[in-house]
Amino acid sequence: MAEVLVYVDHVDGAVRKPTLELLTLARRIGEPVAVALGNGAADTAATLAEHGAVKVLTHEASEYAEYLVVPKVDALQAAVEAVSPAAVLVPSSAEGKEIAARLALRIGSGIITDAVDLEAGDEGPVATQSVFAASFTTKSRVSKGTPVITVKPNSAAVEAAPAAGSVEALDVSFSAQATGTKITGRTPRESTGRPELTEAAIVVSGGRGVNGAENFSIIEALADSLGAAVGASRAAVDAGWYPHTNQVGQTGKSVSPQLYIANGISGAIQHRAGMQTSKTIVAVNKDAEAPIFDLVDYGVVGDLFDVVPQLTEEIKTR
Ligand code: FAD
């Protein structure tokens, strides 16, 4: 069976959920071989093996933390040359997409970004993408070279699938460009204790209807009762009520959670572009004609200041 390289997103050996989702998809098209780089790379092996990695290629070097993405591209290129995989899968984060694009260019391959599903095909893996502000779903395959595919978080379930996960050291020599841009400082964001927006299984968002920064506490309380991330429309962000890092939409983040709850959001096309692939969509809006109701699975016509606190209290009792 053909091997499929999976780029491992981890923090000091703790594997992030989108990588485990990639392993589920990789098993559909071949045997997953994981590539873990940087501090704690070897510590990822047990988790990766539990989720189907037949092999884990590791390389620890300070360059991965000290410089931007090029050292990681060098390492993935070395892995592609060592394994000759059927495909390379990378999580669709900002960094993942940059790594994938640079890798595809290096190895002369086609690339598919932001896939939401993946299946085996006669002529190579077939990726599903959601395009034109989620108005269409397309299926594509790479017709040149080793397919490089980035996959959006929450596109597949995390599945236990015990495999060997044998650890092998990857032989990497860094290119001249690898140390071209040095990271001179990092400022950690203040932790909210909530899940990362693009990875969260549930997102609770607020829009102009929330009517003020102070009222976002209502949205946060609902999010916390569900263990969800908080999102915001651009109107709410532009008004300074919530940080831009939480904006969902065309010029914000793209999310695809199991459940998306839109509160006081009209459903403009630019907002839909970032959330329309959510599995279940719920909206609370006092205007029964709001366009958001065209795409919801469940809609509540009502004032969010009445509905949301009641919903939060009800969820807390369960
Ligand atoms: P509105 O459209 O004003 O809707 C507010 C809604 O709240 C209304 O439907 C109203 O009925 C309801 N409401 C009011 N009070 C209550 C209440 N008490 N209870 C319940 N409901 C209530 N937008 C994004 O979101 N993300 C983007 O990334 C983005 N990118 C853009 C890029 C470009 C190039 C452009 C031109 C626009 C972009 N926009 C984006 C803006 C987008 O067009 C809309 O203006 C924006 O999404 C509107 O935000 P909203 O739904 O919160 O506000």
Side-chain angles (χ1 to χ4, degrees), residues 208 233-234 247-251 264 266 270-271 285 303-304:
R208 203 193 302 273
S233 73
R234 179 161 160 182
Q247 184 178 315
V248 172
Q250 188 182 316
T251 43
S266 60
Q270 296 90 354
H271 188 78
N285 197 305
D303 189 321
L304 71 88

Side-chain angles (χ1 to χ4, degrees), residues 14 30-31 38 65 78 82 121 130 151 154 186 199 213 223 248-249:
E31 289 194 319
S130 174
V151 181
N154 292 312
R186 290 174 196 270
E199 293 173 17
V248 172

Side-chain angles (χ1 to χ4, degrees), residues 6 101 132 166 228 289 300:
V6 171
F132 295 136
S166 55
E289 303 298 321
V300 182

Side-chain angles (χ1 to χ4, degrees), residues 284-308:
V284 179
N285 197 305
K286 66 180 181 187
D287 175 8
E289 303 298 321
I292 190 92
F293 287 125
D294 295 342
L295 71 145
V296 298
D297 298 280
Y298 302 96
V300 182
V301 179
D303 189 321
L304 71 88
F305 294 100
D306 292 334
V307 177
V308 174

Side-chain angles (χ1 to χ4, degrees), residues 108-302:
S109 289
I111 180 171
I112 295 172
T113 55
D114 287 337
V116 293
D117 202 4
L118 202 57
E119 62 199 90
D122 293 340
E123 294 172 81
V126 176
T128 304
Q129 288 163 294
S130 174
V131 298
F132 295 136
S135 307
F136 293 93
T137 295
T138 62
K139 286 186 185 282
S140 328
R141 69 173 175 78
V142 167
S143 54
K144 182 172 179 242
T146 305
V148 178
I149 302 171
T150 76
V151 181
K152 275 183 155 185
N154 292 312
S155 295
V158 173
E159 291 171 2
S166 55
V167 180
E168 268 181 36
L170 182 65
D171 193 11
V172 182
S173 21
F174 292 123
S175 61
Q177 305 100 298
T179 53
T181 314
K182 190 168 171 64
I183 297 169
T184 56
R186 290 174 196 270
T187 310
R189 246 185 300 157
E190 212 175 294
S191 172
T192 60
R194 300 191 184 98
E196 157 64 30
L197 182 58
T198 55
E199 293 173 17
I202 305 177
V203 175
V204 178
S205 285
R208 203 193 302 273
V210 174
N211 199 26
E214 63 286 1
N215 298 333
F216 256 85
S217 57
I218 297 173
I219 304 300
E220 290 176 336
L222 177 57
D224 292 343
S225 73
L226 291 162
V230 175
S233 73
R234 179 161 160 182
V237 170
D238 283 354
W241 301 342
Y242 224 67
H244 181 256
T245 44
N246 295 65
Q247 184 178 315
V248 172
Q250 188 182 316
T251 43
K253 287 183 176 155
S254 185
V255 301
S256 197
Q258 296 298 324
L259 174 62
Y260 186 88
I261 307 179
N263 302 287
I265 293 178
S266 60
I269 183 99
Q270 296 90 354
H271 188 78
R272 289 175 179 215
M275 47 65 77
Q276 198 161 351
T277 55
S278 305
K279 313 296 177 289
T280 300
I281 300 172
V282 176
V284 179
N285 197 305
K286 66 180 181 187
D287 175 8
E289 303 298 321
I292 190 92
F293 287 125
D294 295 342
L295 71 145
V296 298
D297 298 280
Y298 302 96
V300 182
V301 179

